[in-house]
Amino acid sequence: MSRENLLLALVSSLFTLLMLEVGLRVVAPDLAGEPVTSNQYLFYEYDPKLGWANKPGVKGTFARQEFSYDLAINAHGLRGREVSLDKPAGMRRVAVLGDSFTWGIGASDAELYTTLLEKDLGQAEVLNFGISGYGPVQYHLLTDKVLRFQPDAVVVAFCLGNDFIDSVLWERYRYYKPFARLDEAGKLVIDGYPIPNVKRFPSSYDGGLLGALHQASYLFRFVDRHALGLVGRLENFGQKGLKLSGRQYEFYATPDDPEVKAALAVNRALFAAMADAYRAKGIRLIVMAVPTGCEFGVCFPDLTTDTMVTLRLLKASLAGLDLTLVDPTPVLTKADYWEHDGHWRPVGHRKVSDQLLPVVKAALAGP
């Protein structure tokens, strides 16, 4: 090939790539919702018990299309300021567990519902144990860690859009994880061990040339999502779990499905175990329903069924257990969620805190 032809081929290739980049910016605006400056995986590390966990002491800037703020994980692996393991004299403590809504995608430290709740309570510390991607199986496995902080009340924020499924699948979000099941005798079993270390986290592009490409290029994000991401597919090392779809579609479309009912039984067993463990220490367990876009018809627009079906399933699966259920769904609207990201805006955190406040106050006041 002559030098002229080689140059022409190079220019043509660059022009094609440029047109693809421009085209994706027009037809695939969802790619802008991908982490731009940073992403939640930058703040994680492998955990042999939980699958992944917050990385103690890490700091960074969390940014997406609609927001940007500084974020820090303290020495205990909790989001927010440093706190002592021992509870300060005269201070009450509330431990809050949850997934990305509690970890706080879309809200700065000052805007988090856990921060707002602490401010409104007065003479109380609210500790944020939230970790993106977690479900009840990990909330259950965190019980011993939570108890070391001597809480007076514990809140578990249950994400209606995915927490049922998060507990019974052996992998989520390109990570291996523990999963819960019931054995032949109906006893709760935590399975999936040993948990392999994936090593290739989606944060592998946080630095260097690839990091710059991921930050700047829709085309690179598209290729990463649909091609390079295949490298992160996980091999099933005999870890079975239930055969439900990762999007939790069946819970909305076919709630009477036998596997859905099996997952609901697992969920009940997990919360029964948590309620028993905290009650043994004189601690009240509060479960807060966390509605997502799915509850507003965003996830499955083809469905004609009631979008609040998972809320009813949660209430039914927790019926009779020694815990308090808080439902902020009636006060939330689509406007309380980031349009592209899908998590709560600060106004949503404010509403959730207001709903939690009287229930937590009652729990701290005692029986």
Side-chain angles (χ1 to χ4, degrees):
M1 179 182 291
S2 67
R3 180 179 300 178
E4 290 78 10
N5 287 338
L6 181 61
L7 180 60
L8 180 62
L10 178 60
V11 171
S12 177
S13 297
L14 290 175
F15 180 77
T16 300
L17 291 175
L18 177 61
M19 289 300 97
L20 287 172
E21 176 73 26
V22 172
L24 285 172
R25 289 176 181 267
V26 173
V27 304
D30 62 303
L31 290 171
E34 300 239 344
V36 176
T37 303
S38 186
N39 63 64
Q40 68 259 37
Y41 301 99
L42 174 65
F43 300 89
Y44 293 170
E45 63 183 3
Y46 165 73
D47 189 288
K49 179 180 179 182
L50 299 162
W52 62 92
N54 285 332
K55 186 186 300 183
V58 68
K59 298 180 180 180
T61 299
F62 192 83
R64 287 185 174 173
Q65 179 185 13
E66 299 166 294
F67 50 77
S68 177
Y69 51 82
D70 292 334
L71 189 150
I73 306 299
N74 71 23
H76 297 293
L78 311 181
R79 181 170 173 187
R81 71 180 190 284
E82 294 296 335
V83 296
S84 64
L85 183 61
D86 295 326
K87 183 167 55 178
M91 186 70 71
R92 307 285 273 173
R93 261 186 178 170
V94 181
V96 182
L97 297 89
D99 64 1
S100 53
F101 281 87
T102 297
W103 189 80
I105 293 180
S108 67
D109 287 350
E111 296 165 333
L112 288 170
Y113 76 86
T114 50
T115 303
L116 300 173
L117 181 63
E118 179 178 276
K119 182 178 179 180
D120 290 342
L121 284 170
Q123 286 302 110
E125 289 183 330
V126 179
L127 308 184
N128 188 328
F129 286 82
I131 300 178
S132 295
Y134 270 20
V137 63
Q138 284 127 327
Y139 309 151
H140 167 60
L141 292 171
L142 278 169
T143 300
D144 288 341
K145 178 177 180 177
V146 171
L147 287 173
R148 288 198 292 272
F149 285 84
Q150 306 164 304
D152 301 287
V154 173
V155 178
V156 171
F158 183 94
C159 184
L160 296 172
N162 53 39
D163 265 5
F164 284 121
I165 200 69
D166 279 347
S167 288
V168 296
L169 296 185
W170 59 272
E171 63 90 8
R172 295 292 273 158
Y173 318 109
R174 299 185 191 177
Y175 292 81
Y176 290 100
K177 61 180 288 297
F179 65 92
R181 61 180 176 85
L182 301 182
D183 64 15
E184 294 78 5
K187 182 180 178 181
L188 180 66
V189 176
I190 308 300
D191 210 336
Y193 296 103
I195 298 177
N197 188 348
V198 176
K199 298 187 185 300
R200 184 195 181 278
F201 294 95
S203 60
S204 57
Y205 303 135
D206 282 335
L209 175 61
L210 293 180
L213 284 171
H214 191 270
Q215 177 175 335
S217 172
Y218 279 44
L219 178 59
F220 184 90
R221 294 178 208 152
F222 178 84
V223 173
D224 178 49
R225 178 188 292 181
H226 297 287
L228 300 180
L230 297 178
V231 179
R233 286 188 174 178
L234 308 184
E235 180 181 352
N236 187 336
F237 290 103
Q239 302 175 26
K240 302 302 180 184
L242 294 174
K243 296 181 178 68
L244 294 166
S245 67
R247 297 183 69 200
Q248 201 171 272
Y249 178 84
E250 298 90 344
F251 290 79
Y252 293 90
T254 56
D256 292 326
D257 181 280
E259 288 220 335
V260 170
K261 291 184 176 180
L264 294 176
V266 168
N267 188 70
R268 179 178 178 83
L270 286 166
F271 277 98
M274 284 186 273
D276 289 346
Y278 291 125
R279 183 178 62 247
K281 299 293 184 179
I283 302 168
R284 186 67 179 174
L285 176 61
I286 300 166
V287 178
M288 180 180 69
V290 174
T292 67
C294 299
E295 280 60 58
F296 295 96
V298 174
C299 299
F300 312 113
D302 58 307
L303 293 181
T304 57
T305 53
D306 184 358
T307 57
M308 292 297 173
V309 61
T310 53
L311 177 59
R312 293 198 302 275
L313 291 175
L314 176 64
K315 291 178 178 179
S317 71
L318 300 183
L321 297 183
D322 187 17
L323 51 80
T324 301
L325 180 63
V326 180
D327 176 22
T329 305
V331 303
L332 291 168
T333 69
K334 280 186 179 181
D336 297 318
Y337 296 76
W338 291 107
E339 182 179 356
H340 297 288
D341 177 79
H343 289 89
W344 288 325
R345 296 174 183 267
V347 64
H349 281 266
R350 177 74 268 176
K351 289 182 177 180
V352 168
S353 175
D354 290 343
Q355 295 298 300
L356 265 180
L357 181 61
V359 181
V360 172
K361 276 187 174 180
L364 294 180

